[in-house]
Amino acid sequence: MDSPHITQPAPSPRPTAAPAAGITATALFVALLALVVAQWSPLMTLDRTVADDLHRHALADPGLVHVNRVLTDWFWDPWTMRALVAVAVVALWWRGARPLALWVAAASLFGSLLQQGVKAAVDRDRPHWPEPVDTAHFAAFPSGHAMTAAVSCGLLLWLLRLYGAGPALWAGAVAVAAVSVTGVAVTRLYLGVHWLTDVVGGVLLGVAVVAFAIAGYAWSVRRRAAEPVTLQASVSGKRTA
């Protein structure tokens, strides 16, 4: 028989940090979005300087370009990240934590739809090179790779926290997530298919999605827990009337 500790996640505490993190990440993203849309000169200069420096380095090192392409196309591809979340969703469903499974799946799907919508609305051009080392299509801002990595890693870390991961596992998972999100951003920049602000925007928007998902799930758990109490009080009131 499965242990209740394994089958069901720990009760969600009142989300004090998640809403604040979500609001902060959203505010930073909106500010960055406004500067990108306005093509604020200092920021555009920074984007171009970083892109030019990395592209020169990439042209001089085809071997490192190949490594970055393998990482971005296989290990850190958005579909790889989504597949990891899908495995977690299936495991949650099989273990009986179906509301949580649906919540995680919905958060991942919402993140994907949101980044596509923002890309289409902003319609920012990607860097163009006479000698490109890689190609990518659709609009640039925000980076879909970076946002998907932030959303996927954030959701998986949240699940580990809910299920009481030990200190060693938690530290290892946080390290892997940090390396993955940072690595995704670096590979997209090195391959010359994104601006610096694209990957920063993708990470910020991904953090916002995860933070609000955590806060929303905690609110839904508290609401479900309060329903029997409310129902019992209603029944008691009718009996004494």
Side-chain angles (χ1 to χ4, degrees):
M1 179 179 296
D2 291 330
S3 166
H5 175 71
I6 296 176
T7 303
Q8 297 296 336
S12 291
R14 191 170 292 273
T16 54
I23 292 170
T24 301
T26 301
L28 290 173
F29 174 78
V30 170
L32 181 62
L33 172 62
L35 294 175
V36 167
V37 171
Q39 296 187 2
W40 188 49
S41 181
L43 197 61
M44 299 301 100
T45 299
L46 176 62
D47 271 347
R48 173 53 66 181
T49 300
V50 172
D52 286 344
D53 289 346
L54 289 175
H55 187 63
R56 280 194 296 270
H57 191 284
L59 288 175
D61 196 339
L64 191 53
V65 168
H66 178 71
V67 170
N68 277 269
R69 293 186 68 174
V70 170
L71 289 173
T72 197
D73 291 340
W74 294 96
F75 290 95
W76 291 325
D77 181 76
W79 286 109
T80 302
M81 293 291 180
R82 294 183 188 117
L84 293 175
V85 174
V87 169
V89 168
V90 171
L92 289 170
W93 189 273
W94 182 63
R95 290 288 186 178
R98 294 182 177 178
L100 180 57
L102 293 174
W103 199 274
V104 172
S108 181
L109 177 60
F110 175 75
S112 297
L113 295 176
L114 179 62
Q115 60 104 346
Q116 291 295 316
V118 176
K119 275 179 177 287
V122 177
D123 196 25
R124 187 187 196 187
D125 288 336
R126 293 177 184 267
H128 295 290
W129 309 105
E131 299 179 69
V133 298
D134 200 0
T135 58
H137 306 287
F138 199 34
F141 185 91
S143 166
H145 278 71
M147 183 174 173
T148 303
V151 170
S152 300
C153 291
L155 291 174
L156 294 173
L157 286 176
W158 172 44
L159 293 179
L160 286 176
R161 178 63 78 183
L162 279 180
Y163 278 89
L169 176 58
W170 176 251
V174 170
V176 169
V179 169
S180 296
V181 174
T182 304
V184 167
V186 170
T187 58
R188 303 309 285 167
L189 291 174
Y190 192 80
L191 293 173
V193 294
H194 273 296
W195 306 105
L196 175 62
T197 46
D198 295 341
V199 297
V200 173
V203 172
L204 287 174
L205 195 54
V207 169
V209 168
V210 173
F212 286 127
I214 293 172
Y217 176 74
W219 173 82
S220 70
V221 169
R222 293 197 307 274
R223 182 181 179 185
R224 289 198 304 270
E227 285 177 353
V229 176
T230 304
L231 180 59
Q232 183 177 2
S234 175
V235 172
S236 299
K238 290 181 180 179
R239 288 177 178 173
T240 56

